[in-house]
Amino acid sequence: MTTVGDEVGDPGAKTSVSPGWEATADLVVVGTGVAGLTAALRARELGLSVLVVTKAEVTDSNTRWAQGGVAVVDLATGDSVADHVADTLAAGGGLCEEDVVRYIVAGGPAAVARLRARGTTFDRADDGSLARTREGGHSAFRVIHAGGDATGAEVERALAADVGRQRVPVLERHIAVDTLRTPSGGVGGLLLLDRDGARCVVRARAVLLATGGFGQLYQATSNPEIATGDGLALALRAGAVAADLEFVQFHPTVLYTPGARGRCPLVTEAVRGEGAVLVDATGARVMPGVHPLGDLAPRDVVSAAITRRMAATGGDHVYLDATGIDGFARRFPTVHAACARVSVDPAQEPIPVTPAAHFACGGVATSPEGRTGVPGLYAAGEVARTGLHGANRLASNSLLEGLVVGERAAEAVAMDLAAGELAPLGRAVPRAVVAPIADRELVQRLMSRHAAIGRDADGLSGAAARIAAVRQDRALDSHRAVEDAALTLLADALLVAAAERTESRGCHVRTDFAERDDVRWQRSLPVRLDATGTPAVLAPALASGAA
Ligand SMILES: Cc1cc2nc3c(=O)[nH]c(=O)nc-3n(C[C@H](O)[C@H](O)[C@H](O)COP(=O)(O)OP(=O)(O)OC[C@H]3O[C@@H](n4cnc5c(N)ncnc54)[C@H](O)[C@@H]3O)c2cc1C
């Protein structure tokens, strides 16, 4: 990326951007999913002036589409924090940070209690307690859900309503483009484009990125259109370190339709939790003999097994046989409706399914309180890499992370403000941002072909070379350009990390290095932009002091 403009803080710079309007706040939160709204509400409770910006409507988020639920222990059922931690570590392929896992899992019950106090209604069992289901990799029934399989919609509804009640200002259809930099290299606000593409500036003591993941880097994904990784790109450009980018979780079961592109409806793992099994076109089971948990093995294992079976049988999908589940339409109304739209009746016939890009296990490297290595810049939710997920996220741990870390990040901002650690509001002049952009469809095609499940050195380097050959510097002067630049940068960053990791672990499956190699690779790969704006993997010695 290059920037056009004179030094930060030079109000007379001719090539700087003249903002249409300016606003100020203690904290500007970018994103209105579970992490952003939770953080904004907590910041408001702590007495901070908060402004929330989001590039679409308030409820346009990954959160809104979450189906299965929130993983949270209930001691009364015999479950324990230790068991939830153990399940998370087992799914994470040796790269979770155990203290972070314990911190977030232990924070779950209180965070869910506050979520319920904000108006979220979860489904109840016959005895009146919260109904709990089981998902892949979980050793207990601990996943609470709402509306059957519409958990995210209920969480999003309740948080958005509370933000309205608490009168937290939200700017819809305003996209974050770039950070304002303080003279000491920190972050002191944001450059935005409003709904008409006009530039505006928010000066703030702190910026919290809660911009979600980047499923749109691939042709087929469970993620909605907003999931283009903008916040991660913005953080990298601000000098932050990212980590674990090579670990993109492919959900084993999105609804298959021939040639599907963009957002594909998810068939929640809870369907397997309640007895459905994966079969191929001949009716043969897919999972027996693959993993002790069978159809409820962790997602990376199930997705890889489906991919192998599809390669062996020459198909592009398998089937999920849920015909044995009583009352399917009542328990899974969202899945049932999606199936009905393509004339599939799950009560009568197996559901055609295939893996698709679902969740970014990596992101901006943060502490479990959302602090990045850049003063004034915080991140929470799917955009962040706290160390909870390692090489593969355990099902339903991400809403949990958004709830817990969203609150902690707001508290960290309040604490850092009180301690005088954040720069006062400055006069920094926004830079006119120019960044390399490659055609979005080409990037998605290359990533799906060479950086999905089953990667090798030739494919990864070939994809990187193709993108390098076609990308061109362009001004980030429209919403589309901001997203395309983010996708181009993240493709580069992911490809460089995936090429570096010459082993298979969790969601990162290399066909040329099929084994896990703990001697060389039991560590995260931190990525930062070099002096030319190109993503580079940091050497381990540098990395230890980077984030
Ligand atoms: C189909 C589906 C099912 C899922 N099921 C579950 C589940 O059952 N349990 C679970 O734990 N997890 C589930 N997940 C994952 C989980 O939903 C997400 O990880 C989580 O909701 C992310 O929340 P978030 O707040 O970090 O980001 P999001 O909810 O994605 O919100 C991101 C926000 O940032 C905004 N934004 C992005 N870029 C910009 C920008 N440049 N400027 C301004 N605003 C911007 C977006 O508009 C949006 O408001 C599921 C995901 C999907 C897609």
Side-chain angles (χ1 to χ4, degrees):
M1 183 205 72
T2 54
T3 56
V4 182
D6 289 346
E7 280 184 15
V8 165
D10 175 4
K14 284 207 183 87
T15 48
S16 64
V17 178
S18 303
W21 54 255
E22 283 198 15
T24 57
D26 291 329
L27 171 65
V28 57
V29 175
V30 189
T32 51
V34 62
L37 293 180
T38 302
L41 286 163
R42 183 72 185 123
R44 181 68 152 210
E45 282 169 0
L46 293 168
L48 305 188
S49 66
V50 192
L51 177 63
V52 181
V53 298
T54 189
K55 68 179 176 180
E57 307 287 323
V58 169
T59 53
D60 287 332
S61 60
N62 268 327
T63 299
R64 180 230 171 289
W65 295 99
Q67 292 187 354
V70 187
V72 61
V73 296
D74 176 6
L75 300 178
T77 63
D79 196 7
S80 69
V81 168
D83 285 351
H84 190 171
V85 169
D87 292 345
T88 303
L89 296 179
L95 288 193
C96 299
E97 292 183 20
E98 189 169 346
D99 50 344
V100 172
V101 175
R102 187 166 296 105
Y103 177 87
I104 292 174
V105 165
V112 166
R114 284 189 289 274
L115 179 67
R116 294 175 68 195
R118 295 192 194 287
T120 307
T121 305
F122 287 100
D123 296 338
R124 290 187 177 278
D126 291 343
D127 65 0
S129 63
L130 291 186
R132 286 170 194 271
T133 191
R134 205 177 141 202
E135 293 187 88
H138 286 277
S139 59
F141 282 77
R142 66 167 69 99
V143 177
I144 58 173
H145 46 85
D149 59 1
T151 308
E154 169 61 6
V155 169
E156 185 72 43
R157 180 204 63 74
L159 289 174
D162 204 25
V163 159
R165 277 192 299 275
Q166 307 304 327
R167 300 190 182 286
V168 178
V170 180
L171 288 176
E172 292 181 315
R173 303 218 169 272
H174 284 66
I175 192 165
V177 180
D178 195 23
T179 51
L180 304 185
R181 308 306 304 275
T182 66
S184 57
V187 162
L190 281 177
L191 171 67
L192 309 171
L193 294 179
D194 73 9
R195 62 185 71 217
D196 301 319
R199 294 176 172 85
C200 355
V201 162
V202 181
R203 298 188 186 282
R205 310 284 300 278
V207 172
L208 172 65
L209 300 173
T211 48
F214 52 81
Q216 293 288 332
L217 198 50
Y218 293 86
Q219 284 176 309
T221 174
S222 65
N223 291 191
E225 290 66 26
I226 55 98
T228 48
D230 310 357
L232 181 46
L234 183 143
L236 282 167
R237 291 189 199 112
V241 172
D244 295 341
L245 296 181
E246 65 275 32
F247 299 113
V248 175
Q249 183 174 78
F250 279 69
H251 196 289
T253 56
V254 300
L255 182 62
Y256 168 83
T257 51
R261 295 284 179 267
R263 193 186 76 76
C264 306
L266 192 76
V267 180
T268 173
E269 202 158 80
V271 176
R272 275 175 284 134
E274 304 211 1
V277 293
L278 289 158
V279 295
D280 65 18
T282 69
R285 299 266 310 266
V286 174
M287 291 309 296
V290 175
H291 189 279
L293 288 171
D295 286 272
L296 282 178
R299 286 184 182 163
D300 55 336
V301 176
V302 182
S303 288
I306 292 174
T307 304
R308 283 195 302 274
R309 182 63 63 93
M310 292 191 308
T313 57
D316 56 2
H317 63 286
V318 293
Y319 295 89
L320 184 62
D321 188 347
T323 52
I325 298 178
D326 283 340
F328 187 94
R330 197 173 0 96
R331 173 65 183 88
F332 300 109
T334 310
V335 177
H336 188 265
C339 289
R341 279 194 290 277
V342 292
S343 304
V344 171
D345 179 358
Q348 303 296 328
E349 60 196 312
I351 306 167
V353 291
T354 193
H358 183 58
F359 182 81
C361 299
V364 186
T366 70
S367 72
E369 296 85 19
R371 291 186 180 93
T372 72
V374 179
L377 186 65
Y378 302 76
E382 192 170 338
V383 67
R385 180 271 180 203
T386 57
L388 173 66
H389 307 301
N392 174 52
R393 173 184 68 122
L394 182 66
S396 288
N397 264 359
S398 48
L399 290 177
L400 170 76
E401 184 181 40
L403 287 169
V404 174
V405 182
E407 288 201 336
R408 298 289 191 277
E411 290 159 8
V413 170
M415 224 179 287
D416 294 348
L417 270 171
E421 285 174 16
L422 299 178
L425 292 181
R427 295 177 306 135
V429 178
R431 309 171 291 185
V433 188
V434 174
I437 292 180
D439 176 71
R440 185 186 293 208
E441 283 180 14
L442 175 70
V443 170
Q444 290 170 330
R445 200 162 60 242
L446 290 168
M447 296 303 284
S448 301
R449 178 116 180 256
H450 301 294
I453 304 171
R455 307 162 168 180
D456 63 31
D458 288 348
L460 293 166
S461 63
R466 263 312 276 296
I467 292 171
V470 299
R471 67 179 170 222
Q472 291 187 330
D473 279 357
R474 280 195 39 208
L476 303 194
D477 55 5
S478 69
H479 287 223
R480 177 79 184 191
V482 172
E483 293 185 347
D484 286 348
L487 290 170
T488 303
L489 181 61
L490 293 185
D492 286 345
L494 194 156
L495 289 167
V496 83
E500 179 89 359
R501 185 176 287 281
T502 49
E503 64 155 358
S504 290
R505 179 188 297 270
C507 309
H508 173 67
V509 180
R510 292 276 303 242
T511 51
D512 50 353
F513 293 94
E515 301 303 321
R516 175 166 150 172
D517 179 354
D518 281 348
V519 176
R520 291 188 65 202
W521 294 116
Q522 181 118 16
R523 60 187 174 87
S524 284
L525 293 183
V527 171
R528 190 157 62 187
L529 301 193
D530 67 15
T532 69
T534 307
V537 175
L538 294 179
L542 280 175
S544 57

